[in-house]
Amino acid sequence: MSKQELEVIGLAEACCPGLLDAPLGEEQAAELAKVFKALGDPIRLRLLSMIASRQGGEVCVCDLTPAFDLSQPTISHHLKLLRQAGLIDCERRGTWVYYWLLPEMTDRLAGILTRPGSPPAQSLDEPAGAAS
């Protein structure tokens, strides 16, 4: 990926250095803490995964709610926190709200957490040390 492409998605070194490149500034740390806090809940992680993996790139809240033993207002609250963290966005269409992933933020997180020259990330389903 070219430096220009990295700049477009907010991963250029000058803008968003990785954790091993330079210490985080106060503002960047505060912004990232909101994102990690949003990701720090199993319900929100599942919601994000369901949205991100959906064929077609978006999902109706009516398809998300039945997957959980939670009330619709509670699901809406979790989705609101993911939106506020910049991980997803939504649009109301009639009665229903549709959600989609904002890959810019997940790409930014990946760039910040990736060590320079590190091999591709291992799946959480693979045992440590397993060959790809």
Side-chain angles (χ1 to χ4, degrees):
M1 192 173 281
S2 73
K3 184 168 176 86
Q4 183 178 12
E5 290 171 317
L6 291 172
E7 287 173 355
V8 169
I9 61 172
L11 295 176
E13 289 179 22
C15 169
C16 306
L19 291 175
L20 298 179
D21 295 331
L24 292 174
E26 188 174 332
E27 187 175 312
Q28 187 181 21
E31 178 186 341
L32 287 172
K34 290 177 190 175
V35 178
F36 285 116
K37 184 173 181 179
L39 292 172
D41 181 276
I43 300 296
R44 290 192 288 272
L45 276 175
R46 286 187 58 210
L47 284 166
L48 184 68
S49 176
M50 292 171 73
I51 294 166
S53 64
R54 183 63 172 225
Q55 188 74 19
E58 64 182 28
V59 62
C60 178
V61 70
C62 62
D63 295 323
L64 296 170
T65 305
F68 300 90
D69 189 23
L70 298 169
S71 68
Q72 186 278 325
T74 300
I75 296 296
S76 292
H77 172 73
H78 285 296
L79 291 166
K80 176 184 173 184
L81 294 175
L82 290 171
R83 274 193 341 269
Q84 289 174 338
L87 292 160
I88 62 172
D89 203 356
C90 66
E91 175 182 78
R92 178 172 292 281
R93 297 179 195 157
T95 304
W96 301 109
V97 178
Y98 288 79
Y99 292 88
W100 57 88
L101 178 73
L102 293 175
E104 300 83 11
M105 181 58 79
T106 54
D107 290 348
R108 182 173 174 208
L109 292 175
I112 288 169
L113 295 174
T114 300
R115 293 175 311 176
S118 65
Q122 177 178 322
S123 168
L124 292 176
D125 296 332
E126 292 178 32
S132 299

